[in-house]
Amino acid sequence: MSFTDNPPLPSTDWDILITGSGIKQSLLAVALSRAGRTVLQIDHNAYYGGSSTAFYTHSDITTWTARVNAGHEAGFSHAELVGGVLGRGFTLSLAPDLVYWDSALLRMLRAADMAESFSWQAVGSWWVWLTDEEVAVPAAAAAAAAAGGGGGALLMDAGVKAAKAVAAGKKRWNKGRKKTAAAEEETVGEGEGAAVADPPPPLQEEGATTTLRKMGGFREVACTFEDVAWSKDLSDRDRGYLGEFLRFVMKHDSPDPADQKHRDIFTEYKTKPLTTLLTTLFPLPPSATTSLSSLSLLPTPPATTPLSTALPALARHFRSLGNIPDVRSAAALTVAYGGSAELCQVFSRAAAVAGGINVLGRGVSAVRPAEKEQEQGEEEAGGKQRRRRYKVALDNGEEIGVDWIIGSPSDLPSTPTPPSPAPQPTTTATEQPTALYRAAYILTADLPTLFQKKYADEAITPAAAVLMVPVAEEGGAAVPVYILARSWVTGECPRGHTLLYASTTHSYAAISTAVSRLLQSQEVPPGVLLSLFYTQTHVSPTNTGEDAEGVVYLAPEEPGVVFDDGAVEEARGVFGRIVGGGEEEGFMRLPENARRLLDEMEEA
């Protein structure tokens, strides 16, 4: 796409220049435009999103792949496209991220009156690949639990009671309601994604059970309180320890004095691996350990993941569970039409609505401090131009004056010399880069088993599911491979197709193994229309503040399965520095006049 005919910018004078259209840049464009600043957001790419972009045509994918292998896409390498030509109606995203209900992103969107700007889809069941050995309950462990007495038996009994009490007392989780998986899918309007609610099932006798489904070597993870309380697939021993562990997860950081014992346990074990806790204080079988680890969505195996990292991730899941309207078994959502790529585009449009300007196909070629004498002369001659800190040359030959420059290091030239002495932050060593192997698959069939409703009284069928396959490293622990499956209801592929997004720190071979196991678990293994492989590297710099007066370098976005809430917090901090006066609370706030206008439009 050529941008040589783009009209000139409406002004050469701006408060803020933002380079790039990734999540952080687009968030800041909205927030600062709503705060009354004049904002110019540019991107040297011909598309929105940066490292979170989505592709809509085959030529887009091939062009990006060539740029990656030529070293022109920062943070990406070793891209390979396999398969035939992609037709119309497909969206392939580099960031199909999950968003938990208990997330900084959703809280911010609700406060900014933007949550309804997106089409949210529920993420349904979690699945994990388990071997027969993992599924079997070790006889020795069962005998030890039966004869253990003392604290172990009391802990187990307490866990059974706790799990059943939570399941019975949860809002809309009636104790006597039948807990069976829905036998039929809902009716969905063609291309609309609008679910038709099923009538609620009749109440059944107390003690009805829920069954964890199986799909070849995959088993559904017991990730709801009802699963723990009523599933016939769990022994009373496992139910007890699992229930008490979930109570510990929810209370490990509680300020309530009554929960001091949970805080003490966390303090004692927080530097130890998750498996240490699950084999000592909560002795669960290997299948339960693997299943719980899958809910964390962390790239490391439980044997090497410290409790201080695992517990907040697990708490995020269980604190989100049961809160999503009409699909109470879900804890997470995903954005239709491209995941985080859709976030970037909507944020950029919102910035334009608030007065900002977005321009694609333009980058920064040079930055220099403004010459004080020249700027003063302009003020005297015109009386309208105010002195700006920097002169910025764009790659199409235009030059603008700005006070603030915000962008990632790959989008900006080297740090310019400040126009006046300014304190510089201390630069410390950076972490070693973490390579994440990623792949996207387009399947030639849908996988209805993955997207069934868990409970018959849920009004919406999930449009996404998560699978985890542990793949053993040579001489080491099994490393998780995560697969996010997205159905056609997300609007990203035609009916009769499924998108798979896989990631791991292991290797491409591990991804191929995991996806092959999923395909072979189907009665009729689906074909693969197209697959895209690439490596994404993340470095966590420790000096991403103001590298010069008025210049802010943003940290690279962290790739993963879940949307990184750190992006919201970093953008909020940058907003506070620019606006000043501790105004972080005004981040993304809609001006009162705009809010009144929206209210009037809704009433009309």
Side-chain angles (χ1 to χ4, degrees):
M1 183 180 296
S2 174
F3 289 88
T4 56
D5 297 329
N6 274 357
L9 295 173
S11 173
T12 60
D13 187 67
W14 303 86
D15 293 332
I16 299 156
L17 171 67
I18 299 176
T19 64
S21 57
I23 290 290
K24 297 174 187 177
Q25 292 96 326
S26 301
L27 275 172
L28 283 164
V30 182
L32 292 166
S33 296
R34 287 185 169 186
R37 304 307 195 266
T38 57
V39 176
L40 173 64
Q41 182 184 16
I42 64 175
D43 195 322
H44 68 273
N45 292 312
Y47 51 81
Y48 287 100
S51 62
S52 297
T53 195
F55 306 112
Y56 308 98
T57 67
H58 192 84
S59 61
D60 288 342
I61 302 175
T62 54
T63 299
W64 181 83
T65 301
R67 285 180 55 81
V68 168
N69 292 329
H72 298 321
E73 291 289 339
F76 294 97
S77 63
H78 304 92
E80 181 181 4
L81 186 62
V82 180
V85 176
L86 189 66
R88 295 174 60 87
F90 291 91
T91 298
L92 212 59
S93 176
L94 295 182
D97 303 330
L98 275 64
V99 179
Y100 274 100
W101 185 265
D102 182 28
S103 67
L105 174 66
L106 267 180
R107 289 192 294 272
M108 179 272 295
L109 290 176
R110 296 184 196 111
D113 293 325
M114 291 190 67
E116 295 183 0
S117 300
F118 305 94
S119 177
W120 298 96
Q121 301 288 343
V123 180
S125 296
W126 256 246
W127 299 79
V128 64
W129 174 272
L130 296 173
T131 64
D132 293 337
E133 291 77 11
E134 287 178 307
V135 173
V137 177
L154 291 174
L155 186 64
M156 183 181 71
D157 291 341
V160 173
K161 294 177 182 178
K164 292 186 176 180
V166 170
K170 199 76 175 176
K171 184 179 180 182
R172 297 183 60 204
W173 292 16
N174 298 329
K175 184 176 182 181
R177 180 170 293 177
K178 185 178 181 181
K179 311 296 191 304
T180 56
E184 297 181 358
E185 294 190 25
E186 67 199 4
T187 302
V188 180
E190 178 70 30
E192 297 174 357
V196 177
D198 291 328
L203 295 180
Q204 301 293 327
E205 69 280 359
E206 183 175 327
T209 60
T210 180
T211 300
L212 299 176
R213 293 172 292 169
K214 299 177 183 178
M215 185 179 62
F218 288 92
R219 286 168 171 79
E220 190 177 17
V221 177
C223 59
T224 71
F225 292 104
E226 288 165 306
D227 287 339
V228 178
W230 307 113
S231 176
K232 64 183 181 182
D233 298 314
L234 295 171
S235 68
D236 278 346
R237 171 191 179 274
D238 296 341
R239 192 189 321 280
Y241 284 123
L242 186 55
E244 187 61 16
F245 175 73
L246 295 184
R247 174 181 285 235
F248 165 65
V249 169
M250 301 294 283
K251 294 180 177 294
H252 77 280
D253 56 356
S254 169
D256 190 336
D259 297 321
Q260 182 62 45
K261 65 175 181 178
H262 299 290
R263 295 197 297 273
D264 290 343
I265 292 173
F266 178 65
T267 300
E268 180 181 355
Y269 284 87
K270 65 181 181 180
T271 59
K272 300 176 182 178
L274 175 62
T275 49
T276 300
L277 185 76
L278 294 178
T279 55
T280 54
L281 195 58
F282 305 99
L284 292 166
S287 59
T289 300
T290 303
S291 297
L292 284 169
S293 178
S294 74
L295 299 179
S296 73
L297 297 176
L298 294 171
T300 50
T304 61
T305 304
L307 190 65
S308 58
T309 302
L311 217 55
L314 291 173
R316 172 187 60 192
H317 183 98
F318 288 106
R319 286 170 180 163
S320 297
L321 195 61
N323 292 304
I324 300 175
D326 298 322
V327 57
R328 56 193 170 84
S329 64
L333 299 163
T334 187
V335 182
Y337 310 113
S340 287
E342 180 72 0
L343 291 174
C344 294
Q345 293 201 41
V346 173
F347 289 149
S348 291
R349 288 197 294 269
V353 170
I357 298 294
N358 314 122
V359 181
L360 295 178
R362 278 183 211 180
V364 174
S365 61
V367 177
R368 61 182 173 81
E371 297 177 11
K372 186 174 181 180
E373 294 77 9
Q374 176 185 347
E375 295 292 340
Q376 286 177 338
E378 291 177 357
E379 287 181 342
E380 293 171 0
K384 295 180 181 180
Q385 290 262 20
R386 56 165 293 193
R387 179 166 14 107
R388 300 294 185 178
R389 283 192 180 118
Y390 295 104
K391 286 290 187 180
V392 179
L394 304 182
D395 53 16
N396 68 337
E398 291 180 286
E399 187 174 76
I400 59 175
V402 300
D403 273 340
W404 288 87
I405 303 173
I406 304 171
S408 62
S410 61
D411 288 327
L412 290 172
S414 58
T415 305
T417 304
S420 58
Q424 299 293 309
T426 302
T427 301
T428 57
T430 60
E431 299 176 6
Q432 290 298 314
T434 301
L436 191 66
Y437 300 92
R438 311 194 75 162
Y441 292 77
I442 299 177
L443 305 185
T444 57
D446 51 19
L447 305 180
T449 303
L450 292 178
F451 308 117
Q452 290 179 358
K453 289 182 288 186
K454 188 173 181 66
Y455 301 125
D457 63 340
E458 293 182 326
I460 296 175
T461 294
V466 178
L467 303 98
M468 193 272 273
V469 180
V471 178
E473 286 187 314
E474 184 176 351
V479 176
V481 178
Y482 291 102
I483 301 174
L484 173 60
R486 295 166 74 90
S487 78
W488 64 270
V489 178
T490 62
E492 298 161 6
C493 60
R495 186 192 288 266
H497 292 76
T498 304
L499 294 178
L500 302 181
Y501 293 98
S503 62
T504 184
T505 57
H506 192 306
S507 63
Y508 291 132
I511 288 178
S512 297
T513 297
V515 171
S516 177
R517 288 177 178 175
L518 172 57
L519 300 185
Q520 294 303 316
S521 70
Q522 307 302 303
E523 291 185 7
V524 179
V528 177
L529 175 64
L530 179 143
S531 55
L532 172 67
F533 298 86
Y534 59 95
T535 302
Q536 192 167 7
T537 304
H538 175 254
V539 179
S540 299
T542 56
N543 62 328
T544 55
E546 296 177 58
D547 285 357
E549 184 181 1
V551 178
V552 178
Y553 287 98
L554 300 173
E557 293 174 10
E558 184 170 0
V561 184
V562 182
F563 180 88
D564 178 22
D565 275 345
V568 177
E569 299 310 319
E570 183 180 352
R572 189 190 303 274
V574 173
F575 174 86
R577 292 203 299 272
I578 293 175
V579 174
E583 291 293 330
E584 288 91 341
E585 294 303 318
F587 178 66
M588 296 288 286
R589 182 177 296 163
L590 191 66
E592 194 57 37
N593 59 341
R595 187 185 299 275
R596 284 197 300 269
L597 180 60
L598 286 177
D599 291 341
E600 291 172 2
M601 293 172 62
E602 291 176 359
E603 291 174 0

